[in-house]
Amino acid sequence: MSLFRKMGADMRRRTLLLGGLVAGAAGWLPASGDSRVARNVADDIGGAIVPANRVSLALYGGVPGASPAVLRNAFSEAFAALKEKGGGTLLVPAGLYDFGRYANSTSIISCKDLSNIVISAYGATFKATTTDKAMPHMFYFFNFNNITIAGARFIDPGFNPWVNWKGMYCVGIQASKASRGFRMVNCYAESVVGLFGSHNNASTRQYLADIDIQGEVRNSYKGVGASFIREQVKVNLICHNVRRAFIAYALKNADILVKISSTANWPGSNGLIALVSGGAAMGNVEDVRVKVDASGAGIYGGYVHFYHQGPEADGYMRNIDATVNVTNVSSTPNLFIFDHETNGVQPKTARVWDRISLHGSVTGNFAGRIIFNPSVSTSLGSVHVDANLAAIANVSKLPGYFRVKLP
């Protein structure tokens, strides 16, 4: 395991069609026909501003077909060159980059103390094959400022959705000092543990801020994990068959947008979107906006999970606006779950759900519940439910803090 893991505008347009390049280089294309990931738009870097310097990975031997050792060295030398110049753009030529086989949780490309860098990887596919129960990271950034990865694609043929934590994380971040401004733009992942994950904890949550992840994830365990980020999280994902699209502990000031489709043969989880508080000491959840559009099999306990955990009595979720729209969802999921789990789900809790607004719609088949609240809060709070959902949810049978929002 690497040291990092242990420690916890205009650009020249490349006249390349993203879809065709990847099909030729990797024999691998997403099946989705409806995607916000721009298939034919090259060099969109999401508004990132970096110095005008440009280097090509090929200059350092980083070309499709090179050995894993050569590829890792090429990234190291390219990052060093950009770091010396104060930042800029690393151009990754189109093609398949196979980094080999991994049986341990290592950082394949370690990125330390980088600032003001765009990795433009349109047409490039990064591949690693996990051979044991482990989570290697393709890119691992430790202490950073203003980093963007654009157009990259990731795949792990060794991933297994039925085995917890066997497969590649595409990108991981961690910080021991103030680090902010990390973007992923038009990225795509298939057969991975996760597209993106933050790896700080409650004691270091003050260091990370301003994370913006946009892309598509298919046939994978997780989309984005954004735990212990101080503020400013934006996520915009299209997902098909993911066990969990988003999870975060102590989330603050966030906008989460997910479009999900699922099939019954894929494993699910207790929540597609999990907003988690481990207690006041670990971090509350507040000022969050969530929207989910869902169709297909209902493989989740709920689509938005307001999830208190741990033994601490104090803790709250506050100022959250959540929308779930479901269309022809089979099985019997819940739209919204409110519970507190510590040594099992508690029937009562002192934890708080307050100033929460629930919106959404149900179209076509749906046999589930709108709201499931197995842990009744004994503290003051309020959850406002739109009238159209309240008519289905039968709010009168829920605890008194659930209230129908008047037109």
PDB file of all heavy atoms in Angstrom, residues 349-368:
ATOM      1  N   THR A 349     -35.213   7.126  18.552  1.00  0.00           N
ATOM      2  CA  THR A 349     -33.924   7.808  18.525  1.00  0.00           C
ATOM      3  C   THR A 349     -34.087   9.259  18.954  1.00  0.00           C
ATOM      4  O   THR A 349     -35.132   9.879  18.724  1.00  0.00           O
ATOM      5  CB  THR A 349     -33.309   7.765  17.113  1.00  0.00           C
ATOM      6  OG1 THR A 349     -32.063   8.452  17.134  1.00  0.00           O
ATOM      7  CG2 THR A 349     -34.218   8.424  16.079  1.00  0.00           C
ATOM      8  N   ALA A 350     -33.036   9.800  19.587  1.00  0.00           N
ATOM      9  CA  ALA A 350     -33.008  11.229  19.898  1.00  0.00           C
ATOM     10  C   ALA A 350     -32.451  12.045  18.736  1.00  0.00           C
ATOM     11  O   ALA A 350     -32.473  13.286  18.780  1.00  0.00           O
ATOM     12  CB  ALA A 350     -32.175  11.471  21.157  1.00  0.00           C
ATOM     13  N   ARG A 351     -31.949  11.392  17.723  1.00  0.00           N
ATOM     14  CA  ARG A 351     -31.428  12.096  16.552  1.00  0.00           C
ATOM     15  C   ARG A 351     -32.547  12.860  15.851  1.00  0.00           C
ATOM     16  O   ARG A 351     -33.729  12.523  15.962  1.00  0.00           O
ATOM     17  CB  ARG A 351     -30.788  11.119  15.584  1.00  0.00           C
ATOM     18  CG  ARG A 351     -29.594  10.350  16.135  1.00  0.00           C
ATOM     19  CD  ARG A 351     -28.321  11.173  16.149  1.00  0.00           C
ATOM     20  NE  ARG A 351     -27.189  10.345  16.552  1.00  0.00           N
ATOM     21  CZ  ARG A 351     -26.430   9.662  15.709  1.00  0.00           C
ATOM     22  NH1 ARG A 351     -26.668   9.728  14.407  1.00  0.00           N
ATOM     23  NH2 ARG A 351     -25.425   8.925  16.154  1.00  0.00           N
ATOM     24  N   VAL A 352     -32.143  13.858  15.059  1.00  0.00           N
ATOM     25  CA  VAL A 352     -33.108  14.812  14.524  1.00  0.00           C
ATOM     26  C   VAL A 352     -33.142  14.770  13.003  1.00  0.00           C
ATOM     27  O   VAL A 352     -32.101  14.701  12.342  1.00  0.00           O
ATOM     28  CB  VAL A 352     -32.745  16.245  14.991  1.00  0.00           C
ATOM     29  CG1 VAL A 352     -33.691  17.273  14.387  1.00  0.00           C
ATOM     30  CG2 VAL A 352     -32.761  16.328  16.517  1.00  0.00           C
ATOM     31  N   TRP A 353     -34.349  14.830  12.441  1.00  0.00           N
ATOM     32  CA  TRP A 353     -34.586  15.155  11.038  1.00  0.00           C
ATOM     33  C   TRP A 353     -35.398  16.439  11.033  1.00  0.00           C
ATOM     34  O   TRP A 353     -36.537  16.469  11.520  1.00  0.00           O
ATOM     35  CB  TRP A 353     -35.362  14.036  10.340  1.00  0.00           C
ATOM     36  CG  TRP A 353     -34.604  12.758  10.227  1.00  0.00           C
ATOM     37  CD1 TRP A 353     -33.553  12.502   9.407  1.00  0.00           C
ATOM     38  CD2 TRP A 353     -34.840  11.543  10.955  1.00  0.00           C
ATOM     39  NE1 TRP A 353     -33.116  11.202   9.566  1.00  0.00           N
ATOM     40  CE2 TRP A 353     -33.882  10.601  10.511  1.00  0.00           C
ATOM     41  CE3 TRP A 353     -35.771  11.161  11.937  1.00  0.00           C
ATOM     42  CZ2 TRP A 353     -33.837   9.296  11.017  1.00  0.00           C
ATOM     43  CZ3 TRP A 353     -35.726   9.872  12.435  1.00  0.00           C
ATOM     44  CH2 TRP A 353     -34.763   8.952  11.981  1.00  0.00           C
ATOM     45  N   ASP A 354     -34.836  17.511  10.496  1.00  0.00           N
ATOM     46  CA  ASP A 354     -35.480  18.813  10.648  1.00  0.00           C
ATOM     47  C   ASP A 354     -35.376  19.629   9.363  1.00  0.00           C
ATOM     48  O   ASP A 354     -34.348  19.619   8.681  1.00  0.00           O
ATOM     49  CB  ASP A 354     -34.814  19.581  11.796  1.00  0.00           C
ATOM     50  CG  ASP A 354     -35.550  20.868  12.130  1.00  0.00           C
ATOM     51  OD1 ASP A 354     -36.781  20.898  11.976  1.00  0.00           O
ATOM     52  OD2 ASP A 354     -34.888  21.832  12.536  1.00  0.00           O
ATOM     53  N   ARG A 355     -36.448  20.330   9.049  1.00  0.00           N
ATOM     54  CA  ARG A 355     -36.521  21.191   7.873  1.00  0.00           C
ATOM     55  C   ARG A 355     -36.154  20.418   6.603  1.00  0.00           C
ATOM     56  O   ARG A 355     -35.337  20.852   5.793  1.00  0.00           O
ATOM     57  CB  ARG A 355     -35.636  22.420   8.046  1.00  0.00           C
ATOM     58  CG  ARG A 355     -36.197  23.440   9.041  1.00  0.00           C
ATOM     59  CD  ARG A 355     -35.240  24.575   9.262  1.00  0.00           C
ATOM     60  NE  ARG A 355     -34.644  24.507  10.580  1.00  0.00           N
ATOM     61  CZ  ARG A 355     -33.584  25.204  10.957  1.00  0.00           C
ATOM     62  NH1 ARG A 355     -32.978  25.996  10.093  1.00  0.00           N
ATOM     63  NH2 ARG A 355     -33.110  25.090  12.180  1.00  0.00           N
ATOM     64  N   ILE A 356     -36.764  19.267   6.482  1.00  0.00           N
ATOM     65  CA  ILE A 356     -36.561  18.415   5.315  1.00  0.00           C
ATOM     66  C   ILE A 356     -37.812  18.480   4.448  1.00  0.00           C
ATOM     67  O   ILE A 356     -38.940  18.390   4.950  1.00  0.00           O
ATOM     68  CB  ILE A 356     -36.258  16.969   5.746  1.00  0.00           C
ATOM     69  CG1 ILE A 356     -34.897  16.933   6.459  1.00  0.00           C
ATOM     70  CG2 ILE A 356     -36.271  16.021   4.552  1.00  0.00           C
ATOM     71  CD1 ILE A 356     -34.544  15.610   7.071  1.00  0.00           C
ATOM     72  N   SER A 357     -37.631  18.640   3.150  1.00  0.00           N
ATOM     73  CA  SER A 357     -38.750  18.706   2.206  1.00  0.00           C
ATOM     74  C   SER A 357     -38.659  17.539   1.239  1.00  0.00           C
ATOM     75  O   SER A 357     -37.591  17.289   0.652  1.00  0.00           O
ATOM     76  CB  SER A 357     -38.718  20.030   1.424  1.00  0.00           C
ATOM     77  OG  SER A 357     -38.913  21.124   2.290  1.00  0.00           O
ATOM     78  N   LEU A 358     -39.775  16.836   1.072  1.00  0.00           N
ATOM     79  CA  LEU A 358     -39.831  15.682   0.195  1.00  0.00           C
ATOM     80  C   LEU A 358     -40.744  15.972  -0.993  1.00  0.00           C
ATOM     81  O   LEU A 358     -41.895  16.372  -0.819  1.00  0.00           O
ATOM     82  CB  LEU A 358     -40.344  14.457   0.950  1.00  0.00           C
ATOM     83  CG  LEU A 358     -39.584  14.058   2.220  1.00  0.00           C
ATOM     84  CD1 LEU A 358     -40.187  12.802   2.831  1.00  0.00           C
ATOM     85  CD2 LEU A 358     -38.099  13.861   1.953  1.00  0.00           C
ATOM     86  N   HIS A 359     -40.211  15.750  -2.190  1.00  0.00           N
ATOM     87  CA  HIS A 359     -40.960  15.972  -3.423  1.00  0.00           C
ATOM     88  C   HIS A 359     -40.829  14.731  -4.296  1.00  0.00           C
ATOM     89  O   HIS A 359     -39.989  13.872  -4.058  1.00  0.00           O
ATOM     90  CB  HIS A 359     -40.401  17.168  -4.199  1.00  0.00           C
ATOM     91  CG  HIS A 359     -40.010  18.328  -3.352  1.00  0.00           C
ATOM     92  ND1 HIS A 359     -40.915  19.232  -2.849  1.00  0.00           N
ATOM     93  CD2 HIS A 359     -38.789  18.738  -2.897  1.00  0.00           C
ATOM     94  CE1 HIS A 359     -40.281  20.156  -2.141  1.00  0.00           C
ATOM     95  NE2 HIS A 359     -38.993  19.870  -2.154  1.00  0.00           N
ATOM     96  N   GLY A 360     -41.624  14.697  -5.365  1.00  0.00           N
ATOM     97  CA  GLY A 360     -41.451  13.613  -6.314  1.00  0.00           C
ATOM     98  C   GLY A 360     -42.730  13.260  -7.030  1.00  0.00           C
ATOM     99  O   GLY A 360     -43.760  13.930  -6.916  1.00  0.00           O
ATOM    100  N   SER A 361     -42.644  12.168  -7.781  1.00  0.00           N
ATOM    101  CA  SER A 361     -43.798  11.702  -8.538  1.00  0.00           C
ATOM    102  C   SER A 361     -43.679  10.211  -8.755  1.00  0.00           C
ATOM    103  O   SER A 361     -42.580   9.639  -8.735  1.00  0.00           O
ATOM    104  CB  SER A 361     -43.882  12.426  -9.883  1.00  0.00           C
ATOM    105  OG  SER A 361     -42.742  12.145 -10.678  1.00  0.00           O
ATOM    106  N   VAL A 362     -44.829   9.585  -8.968  1.00  0.00           N
ATOM    107  CA  VAL A 362     -44.897   8.153  -9.251  1.00  0.00           C
ATOM    108  C   VAL A 362     -45.665   7.977 -10.546  1.00  0.00           C
ATOM    109  O   VAL A 362     -46.826   8.386 -10.656  1.00  0.00           O
ATOM    110  CB  VAL A 362     -45.591   7.390  -8.108  1.00  0.00           C
ATOM    111  CG1 VAL A 362     -45.749   5.924  -8.482  1.00  0.00           C
ATOM    112  CG2 VAL A 362     -44.807   7.536  -6.812  1.00  0.00           C
ATOM    113  N   THR A 363     -45.004   7.374 -11.540  1.00  0.00           N
ATOM    114  CA  THR A 363     -45.631   7.151 -12.839  1.00  0.00           C
ATOM    115  C   THR A 363     -45.588   5.670 -13.157  1.00  0.00           C
ATOM    116  O   THR A 363     -44.542   5.028 -13.057  1.00  0.00           O
ATOM    117  CB  THR A 363     -44.878   7.935 -13.938  1.00  0.00           C
ATOM    118  OG1 THR A 363     -44.864   9.325 -13.605  1.00  0.00           O
ATOM    119  CG2 THR A 363     -45.554   7.747 -15.285  1.00  0.00           C
ATOM    120  N   GLY A 364     -46.718   5.120 -13.542  1.00  0.00           N
ATOM    121  CA  GLY A 364     -46.756   3.712 -13.906  1.00  0.00           C
ATOM    122  C   GLY A 364     -46.727   2.812 -12.691  1.00  0.00           C
ATOM    123  O   GLY A 364     -47.190   3.172 -11.597  1.00  0.00           O
ATOM    124  N   ASN A 365     -46.166   1.641 -12.842  1.00  0.00           N
ATOM    125  CA  ASN A 365     -46.169   0.636 -11.781  1.00  0.00           C
ATOM    126  C   ASN A 365     -45.315   1.063 -10.600  1.00  0.00           C
ATOM    127  O   ASN A 365     -44.186   1.500 -10.766  1.00  0.00           O
ATOM    128  CB  ASN A 365     -45.638  -0.701 -12.321  1.00  0.00           C
ATOM    129  CG  ASN A 365     -46.503  -1.256 -13.431  1.00  0.00           C
ATOM    130  OD1 ASN A 365     -47.717  -1.091 -13.411  1.00  0.00           O
ATOM    131  ND2 ASN A 365     -45.876  -1.913 -14.398  1.00  0.00           N
ATOM    132  N   PHE A 366     -45.872   0.930  -9.400  1.00  0.00           N
ATOM    133  CA  PHE A 366     -45.106   1.163  -8.170  1.00  0.00           C
ATOM    134  C   PHE A 366     -45.865   0.536  -7.019  1.00  0.00           C
ATOM    135  O   PHE A 366     -47.000   0.924  -6.726  1.00  0.00           O
ATOM    136  CB  PHE A 366     -44.901   2.646  -7.915  1.00  0.00           C
ATOM    137  CG  PHE A 366     -44.113   2.926  -6.651  1.00  0.00           C
ATOM    138  CD1 PHE A 366     -42.750   2.675  -6.600  1.00  0.00           C
ATOM    139  CD2 PHE A 366     -44.737   3.419  -5.518  1.00  0.00           C
ATOM    140  CE1 PHE A 366     -42.014   2.917  -5.445  1.00  0.00           C
ATOM    141  CE2 PHE A 366     -44.018   3.675  -4.361  1.00  0.00           C
ATOM    142  CZ  PHE A 366     -42.650   3.422  -4.326  1.00  0.00           C
ATOM    143  N   ALA A 367     -45.262  -0.451  -6.365  1.00  0.00           N
ATOM    144  CA  ALA A 367     -45.925  -1.152  -5.274  1.00  0.00           C
ATOM    145  C   ALA A 367     -45.270  -0.868  -3.931  1.00  0.00           C
ATOM    146  O   ALA A 367     -45.601  -1.507  -2.927  1.00  0.00           O
ATOM    147  CB  ALA A 367     -45.917  -2.656  -5.542  1.00  0.00           C
ATOM    148  N   GLY A 368     -44.337   0.070  -3.893  1.00  0.00           N
ATOM    149  CA  GLY A 368     -43.603   0.334  -2.665  1.00  0.00           C
ATOM    150  C   GLY A 368     -44.252   1.392  -1.787  1.00  0.00           C
ATOM    151  O   GLY A 368     -45.386   1.811  -2.001  1.00  0.00           O
TER     152      GLY A 368
END
